[in-house]
Amino acid sequence: AHCVLNDNEDGYLEPEGTSITYGCLNVHSSSCKTVSAVRFVPHPCYTPSRDQDHDDIVLMELSEEVTLEGGPFPFIDGVDGTVPWEVNMSITLAGFGVTETGGASSDLQAVDVPLASALVCEESNPTALGKGFLNFECMFCTGGSAGKDSCNGD
């Protein structure tokens, strides 16, 4: 998950009251399942900040095990902490997050975006680089078309 900064933008929200919806392509479907988050585990290279509140990511520990049954987005299992990648490789971002209209989507949204180099990321985020908010060697950076990205709720 991402975009879980607290109101002061100096740390993370508490997980109480946070849940995920899975097993469906529309949140109003009877096939949807919901499970609560019990803990957020932030990425060790990200520093929450007031003026650079992007590029944050947390793993969510859930209250129960989730079993995904096929579908358009396969679950990755057995990752050993490294993921092979190369610049311009396409990745898929998915979720029920906020859309350009400002509200959360009822339908599962997805967009393919290319991975960008750390240098491109640094050049696009000079404040974050200069203030040491982000370690661009410890993150995935994406490029692509304006407006094709992820947002709160994804």
Side-chain angles (χ1 to χ4, degrees):
H2 75 113
C3 295
V4 293
L5 290 174
N6 63 22
D7 289 340
N8 293 328
E9 297 180 343
D10 60 1
Y12 292 99
L13 297 169
E14 293 298 319
E16 291 77 26
T18 300
S19 61
I20 65 159
T21 300
Y22 69 100
C24 56
L25 298 177
N26 181 289
V27 295
H28 303 296
S29 169
S30 61
S31 66
C32 290
K33 299 172 185 154
T34 303
V35 64
S36 299
V38 295
R39 182 170 65 121
F40 292 148
V41 182
H43 190 287
C45 291
Y46 178 69
T47 302
S49 64
R50 183 175 306 271
D51 60 350
Q52 290 292 317
D53 64 350
H54 61 286
D55 301 317
D56 62 312
I57 188 168
V58 300
L59 294 176
M60 291 192 320
E61 180 181 346
L62 303 175
S63 61
E64 59 189 73
E65 185 152 334
V66 169
T67 302
L68 298 177
E69 301 168 11
F73 303 106
F75 183 70
I76 298 171
D77 197 8
V79 175
D80 66 1
T82 62
V83 177
W85 69 278
E86 57 189 51
V87 172
N88 292 322
M89 182 175 121
S90 183
I91 63 168
T92 301
L93 308 175
F96 295 104
V98 174
T99 67
E100 66 277 354
T101 62
S105 174
S106 294
D107 295 312
L108 184 63
Q109 302 291 304
V111 64
D112 291 328
V113 294
L115 290 172
S117 69
L119 179 60
V120 167
C121 245
E122 291 170 1
E123 290 171 349
S124 299
N125 297 278
T127 302
L129 179 65
K131 292 186 176 184
F133 289 142
L134 300 171
N135 180 344
F136 294 98
E137 297 301 322
C138 293
M139 60 187 273
F140 287 112
C141 187
T142 61
S145 303
K148 293 191 176 207
D149 54 24
S150 61
C151 197
N152 294 22
D154 289 333

